[in-house]
Amino acid sequence: MSGFSRGHVVVRSRRRPDPDAVASLAEAGVATAHEAMGRRGLVSPDLRPIYPGARIAGRAVTVLSHPADNLMIHAAVEQCEPGDILAVATTSLSHDGMFGELLATSLMARGVAGLVIDAGVRDVADLTTMGFPVWSRAINAQGTVKSTPGSVNVPIVLGGAYLEPGDAIVADDDGVLVVHREDVVAVAERSAARLAAEEEKREQFRNGVLGLDIYGLRSTLEHLGVRYVDDPDVDG
């Protein structure tokens, strides 16, 4: 994407992660996928879902916007396809409500899976009723203008995580994860393996086996100098 590093551009990009792998990441969720990719790629926990229970994964369509100006979000809608996730960063910190019910209606008409925005949103009750998933830095009724140029489908930093257009985003109640496009298949495979292993452990836990024994932690405690002692009989 280095050829688009100067000026303001809307890049028509066909870069897309493997769709089967993306579906697998949605099933695995953020926590499992994060562990599977070596505990990398998390977006700042300051970006939180506006309502609980949503779980999505999809191709990132990126927006770099001026604070308190949603002109480029409107420009980005045209570049979105079914299953995509719109990812919005601003050139400096913003808490203004840059996205609301009308833009969500436009994105839903194009089959967009959700929004991750490092700024504010509003119309939260309407977005919740519509079932349009959003992860944002703030909820704020403060409106915006549409007058400052920015760019669409360029590399951005989203909540501290580097993101290129065409990368995958996974988002749920645990947060937001960026998986680079070239890593999506491998991370999906490792996530599936972790889910299978977790199911085996879950069955052991149900049967009363302790984590100390499942994970071999008794020797770890001993190595760290942790001792077991009996509580003295006070009455004795």
Side-chain angles (χ1 to χ4, degrees):
M1 303 298 291
S2 59
F4 305 109
S5 60
R6 296 183 180 181
H8 305 292
V9 294
V10 175
V11 181
R12 301 184 186 97
S13 176
R14 305 300 299 177
R15 300 184 184 206
R16 180 172 293 279
D18 181 87
D20 293 333
V22 170
S24 180
L25 289 174
E27 180 181 353
V30 169
T32 297
H34 176 239
E35 294 286 346
M37 66 183 287
R39 300 181 181 178
R40 299 176 291 111
L42 278 181
V43 170
S44 168
D46 292 333
L47 275 63
R48 298 298 305 153
I50 63 169
Y51 63 82
R55 173 179 286 198
I56 60 173
R59 177 186 76 144
V61 174
T62 63
V63 180
L64 183 60
S65 181
H66 191 78
D69 191 311
N70 68 1
L71 171 64
M72 300 314 296
I73 299 179
H74 283 275
V77 174
E78 186 179 24
Q79 305 307 315
C80 292
E81 298 179 2
D84 288 347
I85 297 175
L86 192 63
V88 181
T90 55
T91 54
S92 62
L93 182 64
S94 177
H95 293 88
D96 297 300
M98 296 176 60
F99 183 92
E101 174 263 334
L102 290 177
L103 269 168
T105 300
S106 183
L107 288 176
M108 290 183 76
R110 300 185 73 85
V112 173
L115 167 76
V116 180
I117 180 169
D118 197 351
V121 298
R122 59 185 188 174
D123 302 334
V124 170
D126 293 324
L127 294 172
T128 303
T129 299
M130 295 164 64
F132 186 77
V134 174
W135 286 256
S136 70
R137 177 173 290 276
I139 294 172
N140 191 352
Q142 177 67 49
T144 60
V145 298
K146 301 171 179 59
S147 59
T148 314
S151 293
V152 175
N153 273 334
V154 297
I156 62 173
V157 176
L158 181 69
Y162 179 74
L163 174 66
E164 292 191 357
D167 287 345
I169 289 177
V170 188
D172 59 25
D173 286 343
D174 290 333
V176 180
L177 179 71
V178 171
V179 184
H180 296 307
R181 183 167 59 104
E182 61 271 20
D183 298 331
V184 165
V185 172
V187 173
E189 291 174 349
R190 291 197 292 267
S191 296
R194 288 188 66 89
L195 287 177
E198 287 174 0
E199 181 55 36
E200 293 179 6
K201 292 183 177 71
R202 188 174 297 109
E203 187 61 28
Q204 290 180 286
F205 280 124
R206 289 192 188 106
N207 292 328
V209 182
L210 298 176
L212 285 173
D213 299 311
I214 292 175
Y215 299 111
L217 298 178
R218 295 189 187 276
S219 60
T220 301
L221 291 175
E222 182 179 1
H223 176 73
L224 294 173
V226 178
R227 298 181 299 117
Y228 285 83
V229 298
D230 294 325
D231 186 14
D233 186 345
V234 177
D235 292 337

